[in-house]
């Protein structure tokens, strides 16, 4: 059936996760080797030859960086000399340490792989399609939504099939539409850090917002102290005129402290109960859903949950950004059954359903 | 010789999520391998791999101290030290190499390290059986 064959070709070129390889130019002895990040199918930006990985939209991240650097810079230049002399030189030391920690954790959150799941190879995808067909039986153009149920610690969890990545998502994984990747233990996509927050960088994210809360409160408190001490010497209005930078810092800190401290508190609760932001928002483990609904991933007590989230083993990146793209491994022989219908993505199927007439029975 | 052997089929051993997000693979013996190898040996391989992955993700005192040390040094300690997980992954790579050499290659099979497939599947490549063509 020529229609089947052309759709088969369409299917394999659609799900090919590798760009065209040097196989087309056999006469060339040495072909430049590409690193895997150059052929990465998701919507990410890479820097430093694949060492740094960020989301596509990074404008808000630069805003975060500027806010932190400017506020801290003003604090160290305009407030610290006075405070070091009048009170104690420990203030700029502690401030400096906090600032470096905040910056370090921010960069670590923004630049690291959040736990992206690599997309299925064509052979894997074909194998999964076959298994799904066997389970469903051939039923025509639109197969039912693909889910698998699994019982984890007594709770039934639905695993969804990702049409983009062609895999059944592991529990707690979710597909980020902004980055176009499936991320393990997906928490949320944070525009302030310019990256997704997932299994591999959640602890850095938490450390970042926690240390930023302390830094914001620290700066706020000591700038107020500076202004008060100055006011004792020369009156309130003169104090403000003498140190205008302090006014800016107070404003920035005042508006930030509510959101950042609130966020830290929220994430402390999430860590203690071993939930992701995604699960909390959906109310996946809320008792409102049913009497027997509980979180199957929780270790039972808050302390173990905290240790697991913050001090657990750090899994390595699964996408091997700096590895080299290999020439295509020999593929399997094309399958001969009429499974190409189900191989197409849903949008392709609806397109096919609209354009190709149904065979008359 | 291996390069000339063509691939007859590929079998994918999927993940087993009954223990949560821990990396474990299903021990069910796939029907395509029935003619090639012993069920016990296959189950032994997968069970050992499962134990190794469990060791990598274990919340023990070692990982706890490593986590605390990393946090205190602002994670710069990993510039000179390997994480516990990476050490176990090297062990797993060695084990798979061993299994391939001793058990799977003589039967015309090849285990692919799951880390090369994003820890989604254990891919077993079945090569065409040339031993019967005289």
């Amino acid at each position: 059936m020529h229609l089947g064959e052309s759709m088969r070709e369409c299917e394999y070129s659609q799900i090919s996760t590798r760009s065209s390889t040097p196989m087309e130019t056999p006469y060339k002895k040495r072909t430049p080797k590409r690193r895997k990040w150059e052929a990465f199918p998701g919507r990410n930006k890479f820097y430093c030859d694949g060492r740094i990985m960020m989301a596509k939209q990074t404008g808000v991240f630069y805003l975060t960086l500027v806010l932190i650097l400017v506020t801290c810079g003003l604090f160290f230049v305009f407030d610290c000399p006075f405070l070091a002399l009048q009170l104690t030189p420990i203030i700029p030391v502690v401030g400096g340490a906090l600032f470096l920690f905040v910056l370090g954790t921010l960069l670590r959150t923004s630049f690291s792989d959040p736990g992206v799941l690599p997309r299925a190879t064509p052979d894997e995808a074909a194998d999964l399609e076959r298994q799904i067909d066997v389970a469903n039986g051939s039923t025509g153009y639109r197969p039912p939504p693909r889910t698998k149920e699994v019982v984890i610690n007594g709770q039934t969890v639905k695993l969804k099939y990702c049409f983009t990545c062609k895999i059944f998502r592991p529990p707690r994984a979710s597909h980020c539409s902004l980055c176009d990747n499936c991320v393990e233990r997906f928490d949320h996509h944070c525009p302030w850090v310019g990256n997704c927050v997932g299994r591999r960088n959640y602890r850095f994210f938490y450390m970042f917002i926690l240390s930023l809360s302390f830094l914001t409160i620290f700066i706020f408190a000591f700038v107020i102290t500076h202004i008060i001490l100055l006011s004792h010497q020369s009156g309130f209005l003169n104090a403000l005129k003498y140190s205008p930078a302090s006014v800016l810092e107070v404003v920035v800190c005042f508006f930030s402290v509510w959101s950042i401290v609130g966020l830290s508190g929220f994430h402390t609760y999430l860590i203690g109960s071993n939930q992701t932001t995604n699960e909390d928002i959906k109310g996946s483990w809320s008792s409102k859903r049913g009497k027997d609904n509980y979180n199957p991933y929780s270790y039972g007590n808050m302390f173990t949950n905290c240790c697991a989230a913050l001090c657990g083993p750090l899994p390595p990146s699964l996408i091997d950004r700096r590895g080299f793209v290999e020439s295509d491994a020999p593929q399997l022989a094309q399958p001969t059954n009429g499974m190409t219908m189900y191989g197409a993505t849903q949008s392709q199927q609806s397109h096919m359903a609209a354009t190709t007439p149904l065979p008359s029975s | 010789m291996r390069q000339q052997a063509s691939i007859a089929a590929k079998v994918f051993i999927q993940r087993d999520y009954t223990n949560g997000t821990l990396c474990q693979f299903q021990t069910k013996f796939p029907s395509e391998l029935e003619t090639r190898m012993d069920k016990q040996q296959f189950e032994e391989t997968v069970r050992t791999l499962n134990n190794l992955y469990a060791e990598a993700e274990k919340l023990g005192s070692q990982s706890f101290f490593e986590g605390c040390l990393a946090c205190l040094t602002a994670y710069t300690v990993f510039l000179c030290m390997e994480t516990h997980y990476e050490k176990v992954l090297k062990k797993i790579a060695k084990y798979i190499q061993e299994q391939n050499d001793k058990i799977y290659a003589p039967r015309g099979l090849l285990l692919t390290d799951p880390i090369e497939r994003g820890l989604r599947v254990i891919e077993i490549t079945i090569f065409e059986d040339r031993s019967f063509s005289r």
Side-chain angles (χ1 to χ4, degrees):
Chain A
M1 200 166 41
H2 75 279
L3 190 64
E5 271 168 6
S6 64
M7 283 197 295
R8 208 175 292 136
E9 277 167 350
C10 185
E11 173 205 351
Y12 273 89
S13 62
Q14 187 75 16
I15 64 176
S16 165
T17 54
R18 298 197 185 103
S19 54
S20 61
T21 61
M23 298 279 270
E24 298 148 3
T25 53
Y27 58 85
K28 261 196 190 167
K29 283 268 169 162
R30 197 181 299 158
T31 46
K33 281 213 158 194
R34 290 178 77 202
R35 296 219 188 237
K36 285 185 187 169
W37 66 264
E38 297 179 79
F40 188 68
R43 245 179 274 142
N44 286 92
K45 285 207 277 210
F46 295 90
Y47 302 106
C48 288
D49 200 20
R51 289 184 181 88
I52 291 176
M53 175 176 178
M54 294 181 79
K56 194 169 174 212
Q57 307 282 7
T58 48
V60 189
F61 164 69
Y62 293 119
L63 175 67
T64 308
L65 213 52
V66 161
L67 275 174
I68 294 175
L69 288 172
V70 167
T71 313
C72 292
L74 289 175
F75 178 69
F76 289 122
V77 169
F78 291 102
D79 298 273
C80 278
F82 179 86
L83 291 165
L85 287 170
Q86 292 283 329
L87 294 174
T88 161
I90 296 178
I91 294 173
V93 171
V94 170
L98 264 177
F99 167 70
L100 288 174
F101 194 79
V102 163
L103 214 55
T105 46
L106 170 64
L107 295 179
R108 193 75 203 233
T109 311
S110 304
F111 294 165
S112 57
D113 171 14
V116 173
L117 287 167
R119 299 193 183 181
T121 58
D123 295 328
E124 272 180 66
D127 187 68
L128 267 181
E129 304 275 349
R130 261 196 295 277
Q131 285 182 17
I132 293 169
D133 274 351
V134 165
N136 289 343
S138 310
T139 46
Y141 275 90
R142 289 182 190 276
R146 300 177 187 182
T147 53
K148 235 189 330 190
E149 281 200 354
V150 69
V151 178
I152 299 174
N153 279 340
Q155 281 280 7
T156 310
V157 175
K158 268 210 174 106
L159 302 182
K160 292 198 189 140
Y161 182 77
C162 181
F163 285 99
T164 315
C165 305
K166 307 231 178 276
I167 55 170
F168 273 100
R169 274 183 225 131
R172 314 192 93 178
S174 192
H175 190 95
C176 176
S177 47
L178 288 162
C179 301
D180 204 24
N181 292 318
C182 271
V183 178
E184 272 188 302
R185 203 189 182 279
F186 181 74
D187 196 83
H188 67 285
H189 181 100
C190 186
W192 299 94
V193 303
N195 206 355
C196 289
V197 178
R199 186 175 173 204
R200 293 189 74 246
N201 63 356
Y202 186 58
R203 68 192 69 188
F204 307 128
F205 175 75
Y206 180 71
M207 287 290 145
F208 166 62
I209 54 176
L210 196 65
S211 53
L212 189 61
S213 315
F214 287 129
L215 183 67
T216 318
I217 294 172
F218 183 86
I219 292 181
F220 188 71
F222 282 109
V223 168
I224 300 272
T225 309
H226 180 204
I227 292 178
I228 290 174
L229 289 176
L230 271 181
S231 310
H232 284 161
Q233 289 177 3
S234 39
F236 182 66
L237 285 172
N238 281 335
L240 293 183
K241 258 197 285 185
Y242 190 71
S243 185
S246 309
V247 180
L248 176 66
E249 291 164 53
V250 164
V251 167
V252 169
C253 288
F254 182 77
F255 286 112
S256 327
V257 80
W258 302 110
S259 44
I260 294 171
V261 171
L263 197 61
S264 304
F266 175 61
H267 278 281
T268 309
Y269 157 71
L270 287 182
I271 285 183
S273 57
N274 202 331
Q275 288 186 80
T276 63
T277 305
N278 211 14
E279 286 165 356
D280 186 72
I281 286 177
K282 288 192 199 156
S284 310
W285 313 122
S286 147
S287 48
K288 292 187 198 137
R289 280 217 182 180
K291 230 175 14 152
D292 293 326
N293 203 27
Y294 59 88
N295 185 358
Y297 311 109
S298 173
Y299 291 93
N301 73 79
M302 214 176 70
F303 185 68
T304 318
N305 284 338
C306 284
C307 284
L310 303 176
C311 303
L314 188 65
S317 173
L318 296 174
I319 54 178
D320 189 25
R321 308 187 285 280
R322 290 178 42 79
F324 289 103
V325 176
E326 290 160 31
S327 55
D328 278 329
Q331 296 254 313
L332 292 179
Q334 307 272 345
T336 50
N337 58 12
M339 55 156 275
T340 51
M341 298 281 176
Y342 305 111
T345 58
Q346 269 189 332
S347 58
Q348 265 197 336
Q349 279 172 332
S350 53
H351 177 73
M352 277 173 357
T355 55
T356 56
L358 285 169
S360 54
S361 50
Chain B
M1 275 282 252
R2 179 66 58 78
Q3 285 95 15
Q4 259 109 54
S6 64
I7 297 173
K10 285 191 186 183
V11 187
F12 297 97
I13 313 296
Q14 299 286 341
R15 285 271 294 269
D16 173 18
Y17 293 116
T18 50
N19 280 332
T21 52
L22 199 62
C23 182
Q24 302 277 281
F25 291 96
Q26 294 179 357
T27 50
K28 187 167 147 295
F29 188 57
S31 49
E32 293 93 332
L33 297 178
E34 263 163 25
T35 53
R36 296 288 189 119
M37 69 177 298
D38 197 20
K39 181 175 172 191
Q40 298 286 70
Q41 273 175 332
F42 170 80
E43 282 181 7
E44 172 68 31
T45 308
V46 181
R47 228 170 267 144
T48 312
L49 282 174
N50 283 343
N51 287 336
L52 284 168
Y53 283 114
E55 187 194 322
E57 298 189 31
K58 197 169 74 131
L59 290 176
S61 50
Q62 194 194 350
S63 73
F64 178 75
F65 285 124
E66 196 182 73
C68 287
L69 176 70
C71 183
L72 289 172
T73 60
Y75 300 96
T76 53
V77 71
F78 291 136
L79 291 169
C80 40
M81 191 179 93
E82 247 183 0
T83 66
H84 171 67
Y85 209 114
E86 283 167 349
K87 287 194 192 113
V88 180
L89 283 179
K90 284 207 170 136
K91 247 208 260 183
I92 290 173
K94 226 176 82 175
Y95 175 74
I96 289 180
Q97 178 74 29
E98 243 177 72
Q99 290 283 293
N100 271 332
D101 291 335
K102 278 199 272 187
I103 301 175
Y104 290 84
R107 290 169 174 72
L109 301 170
L110 180 71
L111 278 180
T112 306
D113 196 336
I115 195 73
E116 291 176 35
R117 297 287 177 261
L119 293 182
R120 292 184 304 264
V121 287
I122 303 177
E123 187 179 300
I124 304 180
T125 315
I126 304 175
F127 291 98
E128 265 183 21
D129 198 353
R130 295 274 168 96
S131 57
F132 297 127
S133 56
R134 293 264 181 239

